[in-house]
Amino acid sequence: MAQVIAVLDFGSQYTQVIARRLREFEVYSKVYRYDTPAEQLRAEGVRGIILSGGPSSVFAEKAPRPDTGIFDLGVPVLGICYGIQLLGHLLDGKVEKSHEREYGRSELTVREASPLFEGIRPRIQVWNSHGDRLAALPPGFRAIAATQNSSFAAIEEPTRNFYGLQFHPEVFHTEQGTDILRNFVMGICGCTGDWTMAGYAESTIERIRETVGDRRVILGLSGGVDSSVAAALIDKAIGEQLTCVFVDNGLLRKKERAAVEKLFGDNFHMNLVVAEAADLFLDRLRGVTDPERKRKIIGNTFVEVFESEVEKIGEVDFLAQGTIYPDVIESVPIGGNPAALIKSHHNVGGLPERMKLKILEPLNQLFKDEVRRLGEEVGLPRSVVWRQPFPGPGLAVRVIGEITPENLHILREADAILIEEMKAADFYYKVWQSFCVFLPVRTVGVMGDERTYDYVIALRIVESIDAMTADWAQLPHELVQKISTRIINEVAGVNRVVLDVSSKPPSTIEWE
Ligand code: XMP
């Protein structure tokens, strides 16, 4: 079993970043609810605990608090921001209430040698964001660094290996912040960086087997990265006990369904059920032009079709989902009501409750790039693992206006050319997304001696890190020209191709 560092989540927007940083050292870090029982952490073999920051004040009535048993586990503890105040408050120091938050940079001066600051320069810039502040140290602690505003910017209790930082070492603006975290997990907690994707795959497969036993699992396979990786992983664990349901909603790209059937049915030999529902979806979408109504109809119809397929399968105990870590709600709401930490982003309606299905989410501790590495580990091809995001409502949001079989056909053919050329020029995997949009606008053209009056295709090709912001990609002219020429020559019904040169914001990536 890999060595684990527990990050207790008190609601900071940076909690995920802490976990991310530690995994860059190949140390397995897992985010837990702030009040996870100490016994559970002990049972899971946790080597060290980090108390995250958070928006609360320790004085608030419902302030989130850890199980104080964590201080008796005999493992090092590092409190960050709200975490240092918890150390002060719970271990008999003194925290001062403040009505203003301190934000921004300050200079940290290291005053004492400490394993936490091994190799750290005597003065570094650090990033603060905190409300209350530590006013007196708990017994046994000493200050090891200070800022202009605080003599207790970093503290330690060397006997029990408890440490506290008033600033955020995990954020980019803190100089050598990564080194401080590394000192904690490798130096103080003694982790060796033993976390590999192969090991993770193995232990997750083992855990799925234990959880599922001889029962049955269904999974909604979309063909996207997350559900594909989840399917391949669960297949490795329980094989025949898994049934994947793929809904053909008639809004897929060219040959997409065939590719899913070939990969998962033929190569992986999975139980794959394909629900043929194109007519139903297109029927319900007839005459609909409002983007939000399109989405709603597609969402509801998906749930309906999926449910009826599941009912046909018969006895099923688990619903598997490809939920990944960023889908897990980032923070505990202010006021410390950590009700539900998991948001279910795959909306399969009330199916789990109605059919009494248990949820299986084997990817819910992984970040996107880790999911991709895991996908490679379990034998998925590059074309699946590195595929571009594709919206759930599919081509419906890329046919502007009414969705008709004719419009869909034009879009599908044009899009296939774009993808083919992007791959041939080795740009497909370099951009975030590249796709065509069908515009229900007819313009005049000439082809040969004939006047044409045909539709317009827009090319949307963007670069992005996380889809929150995006820039249009500057591709070689010759490539754009080739795509345009091929679409106009080969796709009947199109006589004009335009390039979308808008960034997000203020535009969005999709057109609807
Ligand atoms: P926008 O258009 O909002 O898109 O800039 C950001 C990212 O989200 C994808 N997207 C969707 N994904 N259902 C999805 O599953 C949707 O309704 C949807 N709309 C947009 C889009 O492709 C881009 O990657």
Side-chain angles (χ1 to χ4, degrees):
M1 198 164 80
Q3 302 153 350
V4 187
I5 296 290
V7 181
L8 298 191
D9 182 12
F10 291 91
S12 163
Q13 57 178 317
Y14 300 124
T15 305
Q16 293 197 34
V17 185
I18 302 175
R20 192 78 199 84
R21 291 274 175 275
L22 305 196
R23 293 198 196 174
E24 280 159 19
F25 317 141
E26 297 187 329
V27 167
Y28 183 44
S29 68
K30 219 171 134 182
V31 175
Y32 293 82
R33 261 179 71 122
Y34 66 86
D35 56 355
T36 301
E39 268 321 304
Q40 182 186 335
L41 299 177
R42 188 205 300 275
E44 295 194 19
V46 160
R47 284 277 185 118
I49 297 172
I50 296 182
L51 311 177
S52 86
S56 297
S57 158
V58 290
F59 300 109
E61 202 186 316
K62 289 186 179 160
R65 295 203 179 167
D67 172 356
T68 47
I70 61 168
F71 299 119
D72 302 321
L73 289 178
V75 300
V77 176
L78 171 66
I80 293 174
C81 190
Y82 179 71
I84 194 178
Q85 284 140 36
L86 282 171
L87 292 178
H89 197 64
L90 300 173
L91 300 176
D92 301 323
K94 190 165 170 242
V95 179
E96 247 172 26
K97 206 171 164 65
S98 160
H99 294 290
E100 276 172 39
R101 285 186 81 83
E102 181 191 353
Y103 285 105
R105 269 171 233 254
S106 57
E107 191 179 70
L108 183 87
T109 307
V110 178
R111 298 225 188 275
E112 304 285 345
S114 157
L116 194 61
F117 289 137
E118 193 72 46
I120 305 298
R121 295 192 297 274
R123 284 168 189 274
I124 52 171
Q125 291 287 322
V126 298
W127 181 261
N128 297 288
S129 159
H130 60 92
D132 302 337
R133 33 178 277 164
L134 197 59
L137 291 173
F141 277 77
R142 63 176 189 151
I144 50 177
T147 59
Q148 206 169 13
N149 285 339
S150 169
S151 328
F152 306 126
I155 61 173
E156 74 170 11
E157 201 279 47
T159 335
R160 289 190 287 173
N161 275 319
F162 292 167
Y163 297 84
L165 298 172
Q166 182 74 81
F167 57 92
H168 288 277
E170 69 277 21
V171 306
F172 177 72
H173 308 287
T174 292
E175 289 175 343
Q176 292 194 284
T178 306
D179 297 334
I180 297 173
L181 287 173
R182 188 188 288 110
N183 284 341
F184 180 70
V185 296
M186 316 285 275
I188 296 167
C189 301
C191 293
T192 50
D194 65 343
W195 191 58
T196 62
M197 212 26 103
Y200 182 79
E202 210 173 289
S203 61
T204 309
I205 288 169
E206 199 42 53
R207 212 179 49 212
I208 295 170
R209 280 193 192 126
E210 275 167 24
T211 312
V212 173
D214 57 3
R215 290 174 289 177
R216 302 205 36 200
V217 180
I218 45 153
L219 178 140
L221 185 64
S222 71
V225 179
D226 303 342
S227 68
S228 297
V229 175
L233 190 70
I234 298 170
D235 176 66
K236 281 225 169 340
I238 57 164
E240 283 292 302
Q241 289 158 255
L242 169 70
T243 303
C244 293
V245 177
F246 178 79
V247 175
D248 182 350
N249 58 9
L251 303 163
L252 306 170
R253 284 159 296 189
K254 192 174 179 181
K255 297 193 181 148
E256 192 163 10
R257 169 174 164 178
V260 168
E261 284 175 324
K262 181 156 179 270
L263 177 64
F264 294 100
D266 301 349
N267 295 10
F268 271 89
H269 305 293
M270 283 187 200
N271 292 323
L272 176 67
V273 175
V274 177
E276 169 58 72
D279 290 345
L280 179 67
F281 278 86
L282 296 188
D283 207 39
R284 292 192 180 168
L285 287 166
R286 190 172 300 134
V288 177
T289 54
D290 177 65
E292 284 317 302
R293 267 203 70 210
K294 283 182 183 175
R295 279 196 169 77
K296 214 166 221 131
I297 292 170
I298 294 165
N300 292 341
T301 310
F302 175 83
V303 171
E304 210 179 288
V305 172
F306 187 78
E307 290 195 11
S308 90
E309 289 303 326
V310 174
E311 269 154 27
K312 283 187 220 157
I313 292 166
E315 187 73 8
V316 174
D317 308 279
F318 289 89
L319 172 69
Q321 304 196 126
T323 313
I324 70 171
Y325 191 61
D327 300 329
V328 173
I329 284 179
E330 286 178 52
S331 60
V332 182
I334 299 179
N337 171 20
L341 283 178
I342 306 294
K343 103 183 145 180
S344 188
H345 74 132
H346 287 281
N347 44 20
V348 284
L351 186 75
E353 296 80 44
R354 266 204 308 289
M355 294 189 65
K356 301 203 165 48
L357 294 178
K358 295 180 202 52
I359 301 284
L360 191 64
E361 292 178 319
L363 311 181
N364 69 2
Q365 292 294 325
L366 299 183
F367 292 88
K368 193 77 180 188
D369 59 316
E370 294 170 335
V371 171
R372 291 203 162 104
R373 272 164 51 208
L374 182 60
E376 285 169 344
E377 194 64 46
V378 293
L380 288 172
R382 182 180 189 219
S383 58
V384 171
V385 168
W386 289 97
R387 73 184 321 173
Q388 296 176 358
F390 185 62
L395 299 183
V397 291
R398 296 180 182 170
V399 167
I400 308 308
E402 188 181 353
I403 300 157
T404 65
E406 186 207 4
N407 298 352
L408 272 175
H409 176 75
I410 291 176
L411 176 60
R412 226 175 242 135
E413 294 300 316
D415 197 58
I417 291 172
L418 171 70
I419 294 173
E420 193 182 314
E421 291 300 333
M422 289 293 288
K423 284 190 175 164
D426 207 17
F427 273 102
Y428 178 85
Y429 295 108
K430 289 183 183 152
V431 300
W432 175 261
Q433 272 173 298
S434 49
F435 56 87
C436 289
V437 183
F438 174 91
L439 310 189
V441 180
R442 295 179 118 179
T443 70
V444 173
V446 278
M447 277 200 193
D449 292 334
E450 268 181 59
R451 176 183 179 280
T452 57
Y453 190 52
D454 281 336
Y455 292 109
V456 181
I457 285 288
L459 308 181
R460 184 64 166 145
I461 307 164
V462 296
E463 285 171 348
S464 175
I465 300 293
D466 54 7
M468 302 298 285
T469 62
D471 253 329
W472 59 281
Q474 309 218 9
L475 298 179
H477 266 170
E478 307 79 59
L479 176 59
V480 179
Q481 192 174 36
K482 189 162 182 208
I483 294 166
S484 154
T485 310
R486 278 198 60 196
I487 291 176
I488 294 171
N489 287 346
E490 297 174 32
V491 184
V494 178
N495 67 356
R496 195 175 295 274
V497 169
V498 297
L499 180 66
D500 182 345
V501 289
S502 337
S503 53
K504 171 181 181 175
S507 303
T508 49
I509 295 176
E510 303 287 346
W511 277 41
E512 279 197 344

